[in-house]
Amino acid sequence: MSTASVLFVCVKNGGKSQMAAALMRKSAGDRVGVHSAGTAPGSSLNALSVQVLDEVGAPTAGEYPKPIDPHLLSEVDLVVTLGSEARVDAPATVVVENWNTDEPSERGIDGIERMRLVRDDIAARVDELTARLLTAADGR
C-alpha cells in the first residue's frame, strides 16, 4: 500500500519526468505512488532516456507521454516539476517543488553521455526524495 504519492511533470513527458518516475519506482517500490505527466505531452518516450534507464534496471515498459490529469493532480501529496519550463497550477493542498536538473548540453555534452548525466542527477534527487517521503510516512 502506498504511503505517499508523487507526480513528476516536465513539458513533453518523454524524458526527465519519465526518468524520475521510473527511478522512483525502482527506489521506493510500492511504498510510494508514482505518476508522471507533461504540460504539453509529446508523442513518444525519448529513446535515449529509455536506454539509460534500462542500463540501471529502471524499466519504462507500458509508459507513454500523457497530460496532467486534474483529478490526479488534486489527489497526490507532491508535484515535482523538472526543469524551468514546466508550470503546474496545483491546488493549494498539494506541495509543488521544482528540480532544475543538470543540463549537460549547455557544456557541449550530447547523446548517450548527456542522458547518463541527466539520469544520474535525477537518480540522486529521487533517492533523497524517497528517503524524505518514507521518513515522513514513518512519522505519521
Side-chain angles (χ1 to χ4, degrees), residues 33-116:
V34 180
H35 311 277
S36 72
T39 57
S43 58
S44 62
L45 299 187
N46 179 300
L48 290 177
S49 292
V50 171
Q51 182 179 341
V52 300
L53 288 168
D54 285 344
E55 289 175 356
V56 296
T60 57
E63 292 297 324
Y64 57 92
K66 52 203 153 296
I68 297 170
D69 175 332
H71 177 72
L72 176 65
L73 181 61
S74 69
E75 295 292 319
V76 296
D77 299 308
L78 174 66
V79 173
V80 176
T81 56
L82 289 101
S84 59
E85 295 177 5
R87 302 268 190 256
V88 177
D89 290 324
T93 56
V94 177
V95 176
V96 178
E97 66 181 61
N98 176 259
W99 293 352
N100 280 319
T101 55
D102 182 30
E103 190 42 70
S105 62
E106 294 173 357
R107 301 186 305 275
I109 302 169
D110 291 309
I112 194 75
E113 185 180 352
R114 171 187 174 265
M115 269 315 155
R116 286 180 180 133

Side-chain angles (χ1 to χ4, degrees), residues 3-4 27-28 31-32 128-139:
T3 57
S27 177
R31 298 173 297 169
V32 174
E128 184 277 327
L129 177 59
T130 300
R132 187 168 26 122
L133 290 174
L134 295 179
T135 298
D138 289 343

